[in-house]
């Protein structure tokens, strides 16, 4: 079945440094809808970014990601980390079926 | 906007007990989901439902039952709680399979 891999479980950064959270996926289907969700403590997870267009950069709230179907990747990036970016980030995949598959999550901690 | 309400917020059960978690949404969404959140394992799909009275098993359905009594509600039953089990259960809904998924704030389960 489909799977999503987030290689880093924990990422700790100093404020102002760039952020890159890795996400790769595996599927037998040609359709690929990729998402990044963010989960702040004591809140509900919410959608940060999504894309289904190959090689097109998508941006929201200072974060950006580009879906690369050739490498099955959808890495999340930000040029400069802020303290308020500390949260749990989930990459997710859907092939246009009902089942949304999540990765294991990456906990990002930004320190002063 | 809408909201997803999960009850209870905290649930403490005893080993072997049957426990029920409830979820209500007022988005008028067709699809609803139950995910289990464990540290390092991400969000794993337990059950989902694409319409009233529909049920589809996810990757983690063993040990759980679900019921979609009406469009706005989706309940999850832990059929026999396992000792020392601790997890957060997240309910979610969406218009369709490839659109944004909205989450509740979760029910935190502790089994003693």
């Amino acid at each position: 079945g489909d799977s999503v891999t987030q290689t880093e479980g924990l990422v700790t950064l100093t404020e102002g440094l760039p952020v890159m959270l890795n996400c790769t996926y595996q599927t037998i289907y040609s359709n690929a809808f990729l998402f990044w969700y963010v989960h702040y403590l004591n809140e509900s997870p919410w959608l940060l970014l999504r894309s289904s267009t190959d090689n097109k950069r998508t941006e929201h709230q200072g974060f950006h990601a580009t879906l690369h179907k050739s490498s099955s990747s959808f890495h999340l990036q930000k040029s400069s980390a802020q303290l308020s970016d500390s949260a749990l980030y989930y990459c997710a995949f859907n092939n246009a079926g009902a089942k949304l598959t999540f990765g294991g999550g990456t906990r990002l901690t930004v320190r002063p | 906007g809408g909201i997803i309400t999960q009850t209870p917020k905290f649930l403490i059960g005893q080993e072997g007990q049957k426990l029920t978690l409830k979820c209500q949404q007022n988005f008028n969404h067709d699809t609803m989901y139950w995910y289990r959140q464990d540290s390092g394992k991400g969000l794993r799909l337990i059950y989902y439902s694409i319409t009233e009275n529909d049920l589809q098993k996810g990757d983690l359905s063993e040990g759980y039952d679900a019921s979609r009594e009406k469009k706005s509600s989706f309940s999850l039953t832990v059929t026999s709680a396992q000792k020392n089990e601790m997890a957060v259960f997240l309910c979610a809904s969406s218009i369709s399979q490839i659109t944004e998924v909205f989450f509740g704030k979760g029910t935190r389960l502790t089994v003693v």
Side-chain angles (χ1 to χ4, degrees):
Chain A
D2 301 330
S3 65
V4 177
T5 301
Q6 293 180 245
T7 48
E8 310 96 353
L10 295 168
V11 172
T12 302
L13 291 172
T14 302
E15 188 179 17
L17 290 180
V19 178
M20 181 157 170
L21 306 184
N22 291 317
C23 173
T24 56
Y25 63 94
Q26 284 189 312
T27 182
I28 62 172
Y29 301 100
S30 57
N31 284 333
F33 295 83
L34 273 295
F35 308 82
W36 276 100
Y37 281 81
V38 59
H39 191 186
Y40 290 98
L41 192 62
N42 297 323
E43 294 185 10
S44 306
W46 50 271
L47 181 65
L48 180 60
L49 291 172
R50 64 179 156 195
S51 180
S52 60
T53 306
D54 198 11
N55 298 317
K56 182 179 177 182
R57 175 171 161 145
T58 182
E59 299 188 39
H60 186 59
Q61 300 205 347
F63 287 90
H64 64 91
T66 303
L67 174 59
H68 292 296
K69 291 188 177 181
S70 59
S71 57
S72 300
S73 66
F74 191 56
H75 306 318
L76 182 67
Q77 300 182 67
K78 188 177 185 184
S79 59
S80 176
Q82 297 177 293
L83 296 176
S84 59
D85 294 330
S86 295
L88 191 52
Y89 292 82
Y90 289 107
C91 182
F93 166 87
N94 190 306
N95 66 1
K99 183 178 164 185
L100 185 63
T101 300
F102 284 85
T106 298
R107 184 170 295 282
L108 175 65
T109 302
V110 182
R111 294 181 173 171
Chain B
I3 191 169
I4 295 178
T5 303
Q6 292 188 235
T7 55
K9 290 184 180 178
F10 299 94
L11 182 57
I12 299 176
Q14 294 188 327
E15 185 180 14
Q17 192 175 2
K18 186 175 179 180
L19 303 167
T20 298
L21 292 67
K22 293 189 180 295
C23 176
Q24 295 269 350
Q25 53 98 359
N26 63 0
F27 287 101
N28 199 34
H29 286 166
D30 286 313
T31 306
M32 295 187 74
Y33 312 81
W34 275 107
Y35 285 93
R36 176 177 164 137
Q37 183 181 44
D38 294 277
S39 178
K41 295 182 180 177
L43 298 177
R44 292 181 290 174
L45 183 63
I46 305 172
Y47 270 97
Y48 65 97
S49 168
I50 62 174
T51 189
E52 184 179 336
N53 293 320
D54 174 72
L55 281 178
Q56 308 280 343
K57 290 184 178 181
D59 298 318
L60 206 66
S61 61
E62 188 171 337
Y64 302 95
D65 286 328
S67 176
R68 185 85 182 269
E69 307 91 355
K70 49 186 179 180
K71 188 175 183 179
S72 62
S73 67
F74 192 32
S75 60
L76 180 72
T77 298
V78 180
T79 56
S80 179
Q82 300 299 304
K83 190 172 176 63
N84 297 321
E85 181 174 6
M86 285 184 63
V88 175
F89 293 85
L90 290 168
C91 177
S93 72
S94 63
I95 296 173
S96 73
Q97 299 91 324
I98 60 172
T99 56
E100 180 175 0
V101 173
F102 294 84
F103 285 88
K105 289 194 173 184
T107 293
R108 184 175 294 274
L109 171 67
T110 302
V111 181
V112 297

